[in-house]
């Protein structure tokens, strides 16, 4: 068996074309979706991610800006800026790029962003909403995985899903989102004993550990769907996922490549959340 390659780039492109239409519809009501991105400090990877987000916004007609705050910024100043943006009617989404410097109170920052503008889906209200089904915004990376599965027509209900990685931004919300779709979900992490005894049972295996080559063919069930969320830079500069792609593709029914799988969907879902926020506000106002 050779797996179908799930093309995240193609789905991301198709979705972004649809976004331009939705932005056009909002414009007819005098609304331009707006996204504010706050970047603290000089982390080069963060600067690259922020640059990509701003560029993607402008390509679909979202008005966005990145505000660069020095690494020395205090908690009060950062929180004050978020409060201003919460009150700005032109901004439908607010995002604080993570990671933040250690002196910044990250939980407080995330809770200060209005849940109605929390397009990253990290506010406690939105995190809790994943449990109860009342979330305003779903976190972008697991939301992108759900969209990929839907687009590929891969059923989730009743399937054994194993998630490798239990972070707040990927693994845990992924588990909740797939539970909400009636999958049977197991979550593994760095302290899991004998990872393979779990992964081998997966009909759908989602891997978000940040360990290149963690998943090898012997750990994968014949015919499984394998979603590789990992993004790792190898010493030679190449980007690779957490799955031994060449080995596992011979066993899986479908697999996401890295790059070109989940990655392009993450920014796409940020655009989706920002447009959705503007649409929600317009609906509430009319
Ligand atoms: P994280 O470091 O916050 O969490 C990693 C998780 O994996 C932890 O729960 C840890 O216990 C688990 N883990 C680590 N080593 C393991 C091992 N050997 N076996 C089993 N579990 C193990 O990372 P994160 O922010 O969730 O990101 C995970 C990966 O996904 C990274 O490579 C990151 O770059 C990537 N990522 C990609 C996107 C995207 O858009 N595609 C978005 C976010 C993160």
């Amino acid at each position: 068996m050779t797996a179908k390659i799930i093309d995240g780039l193609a789905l991301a492109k198709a979705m972004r074309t649809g976004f331009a239409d939705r932005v056009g519809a909002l414009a007819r009501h005098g609304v331009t979706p707006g996204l504010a991105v706050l970047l603290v400090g000089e982390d080069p990877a963060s600067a690259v991610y922020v640059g990509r987000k701003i560029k993607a916004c402008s390509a679909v007609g979202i008005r966005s800006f990145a505000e660069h705050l020095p690494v020395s910024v205090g908690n009060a100043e950062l929180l004050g800026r978020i409060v201003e943006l919460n009150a700005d009617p032109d901004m439908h989404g607010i995002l604080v790029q993570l990671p933040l410097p250690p002196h910044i109170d990250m939980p407080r920052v995330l809770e200060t962003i209005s849940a109605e503008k929390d397009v990253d889906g990290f506010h406690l209200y939105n995190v809790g909403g994943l449990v109860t089904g009342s979330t305003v915004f779903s976190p972008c990376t697991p939301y992108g995985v759900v969209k990929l599965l839907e687009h590929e027509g891969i059923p989730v209900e009743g399937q054994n899903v194993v998630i490798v990685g239990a972070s707040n931004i990927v693994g845990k919300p992924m588990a909740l989102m797939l539970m909400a779709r009636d999958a049977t979900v197991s979550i593994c992490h760095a302290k899991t004993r004998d990872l393979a005894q779990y992964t081998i049972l997966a009909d759908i295996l989602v891997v978000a550990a940040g360990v290149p080559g963690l998943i090898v063919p012997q750990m994968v069930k014949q015919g499984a769907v394998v979603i590789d969320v990992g993004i790792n830079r190898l010493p030679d500069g190449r980007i690779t996922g957490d799955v031994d792609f060449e080995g596992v593709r011979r066993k899986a029914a479908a697999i996401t490549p890295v790059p070109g799988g989940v990655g392009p969907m993450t920014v796409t879902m940020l655009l989706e959340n920002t447009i959705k926020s503007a649409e929600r506000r317009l609906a509430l106002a009319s």
Side-chain angles (χ1 to χ4, degrees):
M1 171 180 280
T2 303
K4 175 178 184 202
I5 310 297
I6 299 176
D7 188 346
L9 207 52
L11 178 58
K13 267 191 195 154
M15 286 185 72
R16 291 181 198 199
T17 305
F19 293 162
D21 296 341
R22 283 164 68 186
V23 171
L26 284 163
R28 288 193 280 285
H29 293 274
V31 174
T32 306
L35 175 70
V37 181
L38 299 182
L39 172 63
V40 180
E42 306 296 335
D43 180 44
S46 291
V48 170
Y49 290 138
V50 167
R52 278 189 201 149
K53 289 170 187 176
I54 299 293
K55 199 169 154 208
C57 280
S58 103
V60 299
I62 295 174
R63 180 192 299 142
S64 70
F65 67 88
E67 199 165 300
H68 194 171
L69 301 163
V71 70
S72 59
V73 72
N75 279 287
E77 194 184 331
L78 178 56
L79 296 176
R81 187 64 189 117
I82 294 170
V83 169
E84 281 170 11
L85 290 165
N86 282 342
D88 183 342
D90 290 336
M91 286 298 123
H92 303 90
I94 303 169
L95 180 161
V96 178
Q97 184 67 35
L98 301 180
L100 287 166
H103 70 279
I104 297 288
D105 183 350
M106 185 184 73
R108 185 122 182 258
V109 165
L110 298 181
E111 282 159 48
T112 302
I113 297 171
S114 156
E116 271 81 39
K117 297 191 178 190
D118 171 40
V119 286
D120 252 346
F122 295 158
H123 187 284
L124 279 186
Y125 178 88
N126 285 318
V127 175
L130 289 175
V131 177
T132 60
S134 57
T135 195
V136 185
F137 299 111
S138 299
C140 299
T141 300
Y143 192 13
V145 171
V146 166
K147 283 284 171 196
L148 277 176
L149 293 172
E150 280 174 6
H151 179 74
E152 294 295 321
I154 294 165
V156 169
E157 187 183 301
Q159 299 296 296
N160 283 342
V161 173
V162 176
I163 298 167
V164 181
S167 71
N168 289 345
I169 63 164
V170 188
K172 286 182 202 160
M174 184 82 260
L176 291 164
M177 291 172 82
L178 294 176
M179 273 170 71
R181 288 161 177 81
D182 293 322
T184 303
V185 179
S186 309
I187 310 180
C188 303
H189 45 75
K191 303 279 184 214
T192 299
R193 281 182 279 124
D194 192 2
L195 184 60
Q197 87 177 345
Y198 293 92
T199 58
I200 197 73
L201 296 177
D203 301 311
I204 301 173
L205 178 62
V206 182
V207 192
V211 181
L214 177 65
I215 303 298
V216 293
Q218 307 87 280
M219 298 166 80
V220 177
K221 183 163 95 170
Q222 191 80 38
V225 172
V226 179
I227 307 290
D228 190 353
V229 181
I231 302 178
N232 310 290
R233 188 173 286 279
L234 296 174
D236 65 8
R238 276 182 306 133
I239 298 291
T240 183
D242 290 350
V243 176
D244 164 12
F245 181 81
E246 287 308 326
V248 169
R249 72 186 290 198
R250 292 195 199 97
K251 215 167 167 192
I255 186 168
T256 57
V258 179
V262 177
M265 292 301 292
T266 296
V267 176
T268 304
M269 302 326 292
L270 173 67
L271 305 178
E272 157 79 31
N273 280 349
T274 305
I275 295 168
K276 191 171 123 191
S277 181
E279 290 169 343
R280 271 181 94 243
R281 175 102 60 79
L282 180 64
L284 288 172
S286 50

